[in-house]
């Protein structure tokens, strides 16, 4: 079994062990197989180039570079549509999966939150943090969570804890969308991982900087 076969099998096992449903696994498997199908031909042509005594070392290097880049561009063409669709749907779900505002009068909500914060300020931050993390898991008191999150003067200095709590609450409010988001992120991660391993196999440098320059992303 070649290294290519081993890598392909590893990604197929990742699919099987993921939380993705059968339809998602089938679609992702097709992408993995499309990527994998490009590589045996690359290795065959690479062997021909390396064994071509008519080429100088520089000529072999140029031909290998052209072969590698052409193969990688072909692989990216096979995956571009799928990746764009996944990224679009993931972004939509992340927007949906925000904590929903309470269905109460805003003035009443403000007064209740202030009352909670007045009590919490008598505790030290570690106690407040422990309470917040417990409520993020149990979901027994979203008012206290909102009071902490919306405090004018932070009650918890580590913003990552607040973000994790918000995600947990949003997932409780929209469990089906949360499950789908998890599945799509796993799908995206597996495809991206296979692309990266193929890129490494082809000896192509990471094109992250190129993508940033093309898109203006930061």
């Amino acid at each position: 079994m070649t290294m290519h076969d081993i890598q392909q099998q590893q990604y197929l096992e990742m699919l099987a062990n993921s939380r993705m449903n059968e339809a998602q696994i089938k679609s992702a498997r097709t992408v993995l197989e499309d990527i994998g199908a490009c590589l045996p031909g690359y290795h065959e042509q690479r062997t021909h180039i390396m064994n071509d005594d008519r080429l100088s070392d520089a000529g072999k290097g140029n031909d290998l570079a052209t072969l590698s880049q052409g193969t990688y561009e072909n692989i990216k063409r096979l995956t571009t549509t799928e990746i764009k669709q996944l990224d679009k749907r993931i972004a939509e779900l992340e927007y949906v999966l925000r904590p929903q505002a309470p269905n109460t009068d805003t003035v009443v909500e403000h007064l209740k939150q202030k009352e909670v914060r007045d009590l919490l300020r008598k505790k030290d931050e570690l106690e407040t943090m422990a309470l917040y993390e417990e409520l993020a898991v149990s979901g027994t008191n979203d008012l206290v969570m909102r009071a902490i999150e919306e405090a004018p003067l932070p009650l918890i200095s580590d913003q990552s804890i607040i973000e994790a709590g918000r995600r947990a609450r949003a997932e409780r409010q929209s469990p089906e969308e949360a499950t789908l988001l998890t599945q799509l992120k796993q799908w995206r991660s597996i495809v991206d991982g296979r692309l990266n391993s193929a890129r490494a196999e082809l000896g192509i440098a990471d094109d992250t900087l190129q993508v940033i320059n093309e898109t203006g992303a930061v």
Side-chain angles (χ1 to χ4, degrees):
M1 183 177 287
T2 66
M3 180 59 67
H4 159 69
D5 293 330
I6 293 172
Q7 288 181 338
Q8 190 78 346
Q9 187 60 37
Q10 287 175 337
Y11 284 102
L12 291 175
E13 289 175 2
M14 289 172 65
L15 279 180
N17 294 326
S18 73
R19 295 176 57 188
M20 295 161 60
N21 62 40
E22 289 186 13
Q24 293 164 345
I25 289 174
K26 181 178 179 180
S27 183
R29 180 188 290 270
T30 298
V31 174
L32 295 184
E33 290 173 348
D34 287 344
I35 294 173
C38 295
L39 295 169
Y42 158 78
H43 286 293
E44 183 178 348
Q45 293 180 62
R46 187 180 190 279
T47 298
H48 287 320
I49 292 171
M50 293 298 295
N51 293 333
D52 191 342
D53 294 334
R54 297 170 301 173
L55 294 173
S56 64
D57 289 345
K60 289 179 181 179
N62 288 335
D63 284 359
L64 288 173
T66 299
L67 172 63
S68 295
Q69 190 62 44
T71 304
Y72 186 52
E73 292 301 323
N74 187 40
I75 287 173
K76 290 208 298 184
R77 279 194 294 273
L78 292 171
T79 58
T80 294
T81 299
E82 178 122 355
I83 287 175
K84 284 184 176 180
Q85 289 175 344
L86 283 171
D87 286 346
K88 181 173 183 283
R89 189 67 180 118
I90 286 170
E92 291 171 348
L93 286 168
E94 286 180 334
Y95 180 81
V96 170
L97 281 169
R98 299 167 299 157
Q100 301 301 307
N103 188 24
T104 59
D105 182 89
T106 54
V107 174
V108 173
E109 171 74 9
H110 174 76
L111 293 174
K112 287 182 177 179
Q113 283 194 23
K114 183 178 183 305
E115 183 179 353
V116 170
R117 284 193 287 268
D118 288 344
L119 293 172
L120 290 177
R121 292 202 185 279
K122 299 175 183 178
K123 301 178 179 289
D124 63 35
E125 183 175 350
L126 289 178
E127 288 181 285
T128 301
M129 189 183 305
L131 172 63
Y132 182 79
E133 291 178 327
E134 176 188 335
L135 294 176
V137 173
S138 68
T140 54
N141 198 324
D142 286 350
L143 169 63
V144 172
M145 290 188 70
R146 292 194 301 271
I148 294 171
E149 293 163 0
E150 299 174 23
L153 297 175
L155 290 163
I156 295 176
S157 55
D158 188 342
Q159 189 61 28
S160 67
I161 293 176
I162 298 295
E163 291 303 320
R166 283 179 170 147
R167 284 196 302 272
R169 191 165 76 258
E171 289 171 3
R172 287 198 309 273
Q173 293 171 343
S174 304
E176 292 183 4
E177 287 83 356
T179 297
L180 179 56
L181 179 59
T182 296
Q183 291 170 329
L184 296 186
K185 283 186 172 181
Q186 287 184 329
W187 185 347
R188 179 67 166 85
S189 177
I190 290 171
V191 171
D192 198 43
R194 188 65 185 96
L195 269 176
N196 286 336
S197 64
R199 176 180 54 75
E201 191 172 342
L202 295 169
I204 301 292
D206 190 344
D207 57 1
T208 302
L209 291 179
Q210 178 183 346
V211 171
I212 290 174
N213 289 334
E214 291 174 352
T215 63
V218 294

